[in-house]
Amino acid sequence: MKNKAGLGSFFHSTDADKITNFNTLEYIPEYQLFYTGRHAMKYIFDKLSAEQTIEKIWLPKYYCQHVTSWLQNCYSNIHFYTIDPFNASHNLNVLDFATEKDIVLLNNFWGFFSYTIPTTANRPICIEDHSHGWLSTGCLTSTADYCVASLRKTLPIALGGILWQPNKEKIKKSNLEILPNTAFYNNWESIIAAMDLKKEYIATTLDSSAKDRYLEFIGASETYLQHQYDVVALKEEHKKYINSYIQKDYTSYKKQNFEYLLQHLNINSNFNILTNTKNTPFGLHLVFKDRAAFLSLKAFLIGKDIYPSELWPGNEKTDSWSYLLNIHIDFRYNSTDMTHITTSINQWGMHFSENN
């Protein structure tokens, strides 16, 4: 039976005790939890704006289209800077475009990026997003003013965002009012139900009704979250739930699976495999210059019950590569799954080359 865990990208219900432990608190001893990474961003943006004049909020031009549009609905002072998301050896200098009255959001692309934060007094506030680089070197050794992450990208949880200061200080509470939200809490329960349905679907071989209901619940939840703009007070039971998954070693599973993939994938001129000597990537990232080849492989893999995602559609082409296909390689997968993935990609490579 094929591994159906990647269907719809979101996780199924998983017991935290089944995941290997990691000493996360050694690196991030003080943090504040939120329901989403966007809530963590909005909280710190609003806190800083209440304490001082913020003229511009800078985002990378290449970034998640959903987060970008969400933030643009919250703030009228969003601006963009250019950085190649496929070049981890970048030489970005925030002082080239931002001032001491600005906030610069720096994205840890695919878990490969680290940033040199200026030490001068008259510099912008630098906030790093580690949503696709949770527990990477850039995440654990950051020198930014603040760091945020959407935890549900890596942790098998319904929702979860995190904010911390890399200097290990506890974030001072602000006077911003964060209220409960019944509709939001109902949405949380819908996601929990969806995760349970996906677990049921994975455990069965014939009944697809659980799959259809799971995808319906997740679709409705994402639509709700995209149009929900207030930071919501975190329930204590939800905080405890998220915390139970924080100190887990998600990277070790990816590292083992990624090393297997590198050993067995054939070289293909149609795509490049993103890799890094210092970090394990968020997933198997195949980047393309040709959109037709990208779409061909994506369709081929879906036909093989492998469910890749695009990170991120709608962005402008870069000077190097432009279309990124992400294939999950996390704790839900083993060497048998990696064999199926490599065999399928290699089959597509031979077929596509013969016909183009």
Side-chain angles (χ1 to χ4, degrees), residues 156-297:
I157 54 179
L159 292 169
I162 190 170
L163 167 69
W164 76 96
Q165 287 185 272
N167 59 17
K168 299 184 180 181
E169 290 183 1
K170 190 171 184 178
I171 298 170
K172 296 178 182 178
K173 290 186 178 180
S174 72
N175 294 323
L176 301 174
E177 190 174 25
I178 303 178
L179 300 174
N181 185 317
T182 301
F184 196 97
Y185 301 146
N186 289 339
N187 184 63
W188 168 285
E189 296 302 327
S190 293
I191 301 172
I192 292 291
M195 294 174 70
D196 289 342
L197 284 167
K198 186 171 184 179
K199 181 179 181 180
E200 177 185 334
Y201 171 64
I202 290 172
T204 61
T205 57
L206 298 175
D207 184 15
S208 64
S209 61
K211 175 195 73 173
D212 295 336
R213 285 183 291 153
Y214 152 70
L215 293 174
E216 181 183 347
F217 281 4
I218 287 297
S221 170
E222 288 304 297
T223 299
Y224 170 79
L225 291 173
Q226 189 61 24
H227 298 90
Q228 187 278 325
Y229 301 107
D230 295 323
V231 180
V232 177
L234 189 65
K235 281 189 171 184
E236 279 302 316
E237 60 263 39
H238 296 168
K239 181 179 179 180
K240 183 178 180 181
Y241 163 90
I242 297 170
N243 270 322
S244 68
Y245 291 89
I246 290 284
Q247 296 192 70
K248 299 295 176 179
D249 188 5
Y250 301 98
T251 303
S252 61
Y253 300 90
K254 293 182 180 182
K255 186 176 187 295
Q256 182 174 336
N257 287 335
F258 188 64
E259 288 175 350
Y260 181 96
L261 291 167
L262 290 180
Q263 292 172 6
H264 294 85
L265 279 173
N266 295 335
I267 296 173
N268 192 300
S269 60
N270 292 292
F271 59 76
N272 184 35
I273 302 173
L274 292 187
T275 187
N276 184 277
T277 57
K278 296 181 180 180
N279 289 287
T280 299
F282 176 74
L284 173 61
H285 298 312
L286 308 180
V287 287
F288 295 73
K289 291 182 178 178
D290 179 59
R291 183 80 179 164
F294 167 90
L295 292 173
S296 175
L297 177 55

